[in-house]
């Protein structure tokens, strides 16, 4: 049984246009409403307006990295319950541990598959 993702608002924060486009395509096909942001500042400006149900954030970004962005989201009382999933090209224990410290809910290694991406969303909906 598959969870329906119709109308689910997902934010994808990544400085890579390719990753944003890939995630947006996969998520849109699954019925999600996708909001993309190029970095942490861009994301924080959009979060209050769009109120995403789940957020994917790249770790390595200029200006405000994924850890700082996640910490800022989780420190906001309105959004602290919103699941934040870190995206990284490194599959390191240190990165995963650091992600947990700032409050991230899960960690996906890039390149991610459609199954991993949608599976991580279903974890938080069920």
């Amino acid at each position: 049984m598959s969870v329906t993702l119709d109308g689910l608002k997902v934010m994808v924060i990544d400085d890579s246009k390719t990753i944003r486009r890939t995630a947006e395509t996969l998520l849109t096909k699954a019925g999600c409403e996708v909001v993309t942001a190029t970095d942490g500042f861009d994301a924080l400006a959009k979060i209050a307006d769009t109120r995403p149900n789940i957020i994917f954030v790249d770790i390595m970004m200029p200006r405000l990295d994924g850890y700082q962005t996640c910490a800022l989201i989780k420190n906001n009382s309105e959004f602290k319950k919103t699941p934040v999933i870190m995206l990284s090209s490194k599959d390191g224990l240190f990165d995963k541990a650091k992600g947990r410290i700032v409050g991230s809910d899960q960690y996906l290694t890039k390149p991610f598959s459609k199954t991993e991406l949608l599976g991580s969303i279903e974890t938080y909906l069920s």
Side-chain angles (χ1 to χ4, degrees):
M1 189 191 102
S2 170
V3 177
T4 174
L5 305 180
D6 286 349
L8 188 80
K9 277 193 191 169
V10 182
M11 179 175 271
V12 178
I13 312 162
D14 201 307
D15 56 330
S16 156
K17 194 176 195 173
T18 312
I19 294 287
R20 284 197 313 271
R21 197 176 287 146
T22 304
E24 188 172 16
T25 304
L26 292 171
L27 293 165
T28 306
K29 277 185 184 153
C32 300
E33 194 180 309
V34 185
V35 180
T36 59
T38 50
D39 63 31
F41 288 111
D42 186 25
L44 294 170
K46 290 177 176 173
I47 284 174
D49 294 336
T50 57
R51 314 191 75 76
N53 301 109
I54 192 161
I55 299 168
F56 286 92
V57 61
D58 179 34
I59 291 175
M60 302 295 285
M61 293 185 295
R63 303 201 301 162
L64 200 63
D65 71 20
Y67 297 122
Q68 294 165 310
T69 305
C70 179
L72 287 164
I73 293 166
K74 291 295 187 176
N75 286 333
N76 181 318
S77 58
E78 255 182 285
F79 302 108
K80 67 169 177 254
K81 287 193 167 61
T82 306
V84 175
I85 298 170
M86 305 297 261
L87 298 174
S88 175
S89 43
K90 295 189 296 193
D91 190 13
L93 281 173
F94 174 75
D95 291 321
K96 288 179 183 171
K98 194 171 172 187
R100 276 198 204 97
I101 291 165
V102 295
S104 83
D105 297 277
Q106 204 181 335
Y107 188 98
L108 277 187
T109 307
K110 296 193 280 193
F112 44 79
S113 68
K114 176 186 171 184
T115 312
E116 287 174 313
L117 191 68
L118 300 180
S120 63
I121 293 175
E122 289 181 2
T123 305
Y124 295 100
L125 294 182
S126 46

